[in-house]
Amino acid sequence: MRIKVNSLLSIGALILALGSCSSLTDSSEPSETTEALTGLELSTSDTFAAVDCDVDLPIGPAASCGVLTVPQDWDNPDRGEMVELSAAVLVDDETPQDAIPFVYLDGGPGGAILTDLDLAFPQLFGEIVKDRPVVVYSQRGAPQSSPDLVCEEVTEFSLETLDADKESQDFVEQSANAVSECATRLVGEGIDFAEVNSSNAAKDLDALRQALGYETWNVYGNSYGTRLAQSYVSEFPDSVKALVLDGVQPTVPELAVGKLAENAHNSIELMFVSCERDLQCAGRYPDLRDRFYSLYDQLEVEPVEFPSISLDTLEVTPVLWDGEALVASVFTAMYSRDTISIVPAMIEEMEQDSYVNAGLLASLEIFTLTRVATGMNSVVLCHDGFRHLDEATYLAGASDNAVINKVFGIDEDGFGELQQLCETYGDSLAASDDLDLVQSDVPALITSGEFDPITPTSNGDAVAAGFSNSTHVVFNGESHGVLGSECGTQAIKEFFADPSAEINSSCASQPNPIEWS
């Protein structure tokens, strides 16, 4: 079972948006939708229609909603095909309604921030909304846009084969067929894959700003959202008051998607080292690295089946893990300090034929399958990234660990499979000037988490070099996205309050050890 590398960038945004794993497994009653607070009044125009909100929020904040209509092809708007994007403006009773707003650019590509806003709001936006309105919206191709690039064929196949042998030829062929069926359906529905890209998404974003009546706004992006934010600030610099790139994906393909195995190995290795240096973790889980790779070898010979729980339906679902599935799930866990903390316990449990924490990670992965627009994910990453890599560059992204390279498919066969996937969604390429490091004097705060497995701190250094008025802050003990952590949220709030002031990032460098389970 090879990890499908085009889907890796989508996982972190979801984990960040949903907060800690405890929020997903909480047995309390779901929060109620409230209309006690009146939202902002949005104006209807030729391109924007105010509509009743169909989003869930916890008690307290209020939403005002609308639908933005934009051309599918911005260069040829008279072609006639249009795209509709859902948007919501969030306030609470403390929000200064004349403050410069905060717009959130979701990750993925293909994230579904509007779908689970009730889960995401407290951690991501609960503090931000006290200072300014928060704007969230569906990017073109994402869930709650129309047309969307949600591949039900791929999702259904993935859910139906959780306990299947991923190495079998039947599985490989059926998986490719599901992708092909989705692509064929989307083309039949009038979608032009060449128009689903970061450059057009940047034009959509500025059309939304204009429709909402904002002269400028504060732009926040996480993961793929940082890639979109860079395209946006490059094309519409006067629209951006200040910019936060949180877990940054560079515009340069070699940096964005060319070092996936290397970055993953570095993150997993950092976890092992951190456990070794922690007296409690080292004492309870000695020789963790060796035990992990021994468990990998064991599962490659004899895969195990265990139950997980659908976080949507609470139904029990069997999953099958071989060694590669173990490594893939540990990689997924590296996105959040909350899930990093359970990995040593999971390894020990699995050695004893117990699967409580493995079931939790599997449940998170199942949840991801139902939230990400996999078609959009593939189309955008191929257009902006993978199609620009030749085989030599792809292979140069290998780590010095053979197991990690095998799981990520960093070999000639893996490159061929990736090219085949991209060919399914056409042959469009991002313009060369959208692949250079962005040069800008817009005030920018660039944030990186120490453990980030997909957008490492080196990405932040590379991108910061192009922003003449930027600060790059690395947060100890954090991972893919620092918005939602106490220190990260405070730094972002203070930066947006006064982008010209020196950033007080002292908390970021303080010891912040993982609280091992």
Side-chain angles (χ1 to χ4, degrees):
M1 183 203 77
R2 295 174 182 266
I3 291 182
K4 296 299 184 183
V5 291
N6 64 296
S7 67
L8 296 179
L9 294 173
S10 66
I11 304 173
L14 181 74
I15 292 177
L16 172 68
L18 297 179
S20 70
C21 53
S22 61
S23 68
L24 290 174
T25 55
D26 190 344
S27 60
S28 60
E29 291 296 315
S31 53
E32 299 177 3
T33 302
T34 178
E35 297 181 2
L37 180 66
T38 302
L40 302 180
E41 183 175 347
L42 303 183
S43 300
T44 293
S45 66
D46 291 342
T47 60
F48 187 84
V51 299
D52 293 336
C53 286
D54 186 23
V55 297
D56 292 328
L57 285 171
I59 295 174
S64 303
C65 300
V67 175
L68 176 72
T69 302
V70 295
Q72 181 175 222
D73 181 354
W74 274 100
D75 292 331
N76 298 286
D78 294 335
R79 280 177 52 183
E81 296 92 345
M82 307 301 288
V83 175
E84 294 183 346
L85 310 177
S86 298
V89 182
L90 313 176
V91 297
D92 72 5
D93 56 6
E94 297 183 47
T95 306
Q97 297 189 6
D98 59 350
I100 296 175
F102 167 110
V103 61
Y104 176 85
L105 308 188
D106 206 359
I113 186 62
L114 290 171
T115 303
D116 295 296
L117 199 53
D118 53 340
L119 294 176
F121 182 90
Q123 183 160 352
L124 292 185
F125 309 129
E127 289 298 316
I128 300 295
V129 79
K130 295 177 181 178
D131 295 342
R132 60 194 71 254
V134 170
V135 180
V136 292
Y137 78 106
S138 58
Q139 297 165 20
R140 62 167 59 202
Q144 297 200 32
S145 69
S146 180
D148 64 49
L149 273 69
V150 175
C151 280
E152 294 93 348
E153 299 88 345
V154 175
T155 301
E156 291 174 4
F157 174 76
S158 299
L159 293 174
E160 291 169 358
T161 56
L162 292 169
D163 57 351
D165 177 7
K166 309 300 190 294
E167 299 290 345
S168 71
Q169 188 61 32
D170 283 348
F171 176 86
V172 173
E173 292 177 358
Q174 292 174 30
S175 179
N177 288 340
V179 173
S180 179
E181 289 170 7
C182 175
T184 300
R185 174 179 58 81
L186 293 175
V187 170
E189 293 174 358
I191 291 176
D192 183 349
F193 295 136
E195 302 303 332
V196 183
N197 57 63
S198 298
S199 178
N200 276 343
K203 295 178 177 67
D204 297 342
L205 180 58
D206 207 60
L208 178 62
R209 176 193 62 79
Q210 295 177 57
L212 294 175
Y214 298 132
E215 182 176 349
T216 63
W217 51 10
N218 294 306
V219 177
Y220 168 92
N222 168 252
S223 194
Y224 167 71
T226 67
R227 171 64 173 87
L228 172 54
Q230 291 168 82
S231 292
Y232 183 62
V233 76
S234 181
E235 188 159 356
F236 301 99
D238 293 338
S239 298
V240 183
K241 177 70 173 179
L243 175 68
V244 170
L245 303 176
D246 190 7
V248 61
Q249 179 189 344
T251 51
V252 179
E254 292 84 353
L255 297 177
V257 296
K259 298 184 176 183
L260 298 179
E262 177 184 333
N263 296 338
H265 179 237
N266 290 342
S267 178
I268 293 172
E269 185 62 23
L270 179 59
M271 175 197 64
F272 292 140
V273 171
S274 298
C275 182
E276 290 168 355
R277 293 175 177 173
D278 184 285
L279 291 178
Q280 180 181 355
C281 188
R284 184 171 178 182
Y285 309 109
D287 305 316
L288 187 65
R289 181 186 296 101
D290 291 342
R291 292 163 67 184
F292 172 67
Y293 288 110
S294 293
L295 183 59
Y296 164 84
D297 290 335
Q298 175 185 328
L299 293 176
E300 281 293 273
V301 174
E302 188 175 355
V304 295
E305 184 176 299
F306 56 88
S308 63
I309 296 176
S310 167
L311 299 173
D312 285 312
T313 66
L314 301 183
E315 294 178 355
V316 175
T317 302
V319 297
L320 184 73
W321 275 15
D322 59 10
E324 294 190 32
L326 168 70
V327 175
S329 293
V330 169
F331 166 78
T332 301
M334 294 300 104
Y335 277 95
S336 166
R337 61 179 282 118
D338 296 302
T339 44
I340 291 171
S341 70
I342 71 173
V343 170
M346 182 188 76
I347 293 170
E348 183 172 80
E349 287 175 355
M350 293 185 70
E351 290 173 330
Q352 301 168 3
D353 298 324
S354 178
Y355 304 98
V356 174
N357 283 305
L360 175 59
L361 287 186
S363 296
L364 284 169
E365 292 165 9
I366 293 169
F367 195 79
T368 303
L369 289 173
T370 64
R371 293 305 191 274
V372 175
T374 52
M376 175 189 173
N377 185 273
S378 298
V379 169
V380 174
L381 290 178
C382 288
H383 179 276
D384 290 356
F386 289 124
R387 288 198 189 100
H388 299 271
L389 302 182
D390 58 25
E391 185 173 320
T393 304
Y394 179 79
L395 297 178
S399 74
D400 58 6
N401 183 286
V403 169
I404 300 296
N405 293 338
K406 181 173 183 286
V407 173
F408 277 75
I410 309 300
D411 54 30
E412 292 180 4
D413 288 343
F415 181 75
E417 292 170 8
L418 183 60
Q419 294 300 106
Q420 182 179 2
L421 173 70
C422 286
E423 288 172 4
T424 304
Y425 292 103
D427 58 2
S428 64
L429 294 168
S432 58
D433 59 358
D434 197 30
L435 301 176
D436 297 328
L437 284 175
V438 172
Q439 307 294 314
S440 175
D441 60 2
V442 169
L445 171 61
I446 299 170
T447 57
S448 300
E450 177 187 15
F451 285 89
D452 196 324
I454 199 75
T455 55
T457 59
S458 57
N459 282 7
D461 291 335
V463 170
F467 283 84
S468 60
N469 190 11
S470 70
T471 301
H472 179 209
V473 180
V474 177
F475 288 74
N476 285 341
E478 299 297 339
S479 190
H480 189 60
V482 304
L483 179 63
S485 69
E486 182 178 355
C487 179
T489 299
Q490 188 59 35
I492 291 168
K493 280 168 59 75
E494 292 179 359
F495 172 70
F496 281 142
D498 186 357
S500 64
E502 182 176 353
I503 297 170
N504 180 7
S505 60
S506 58
C507 62
S509 59
Q510 295 298 311
N512 186 24
I514 300 294
E515 297 177 2
W516 304 102
S517 174

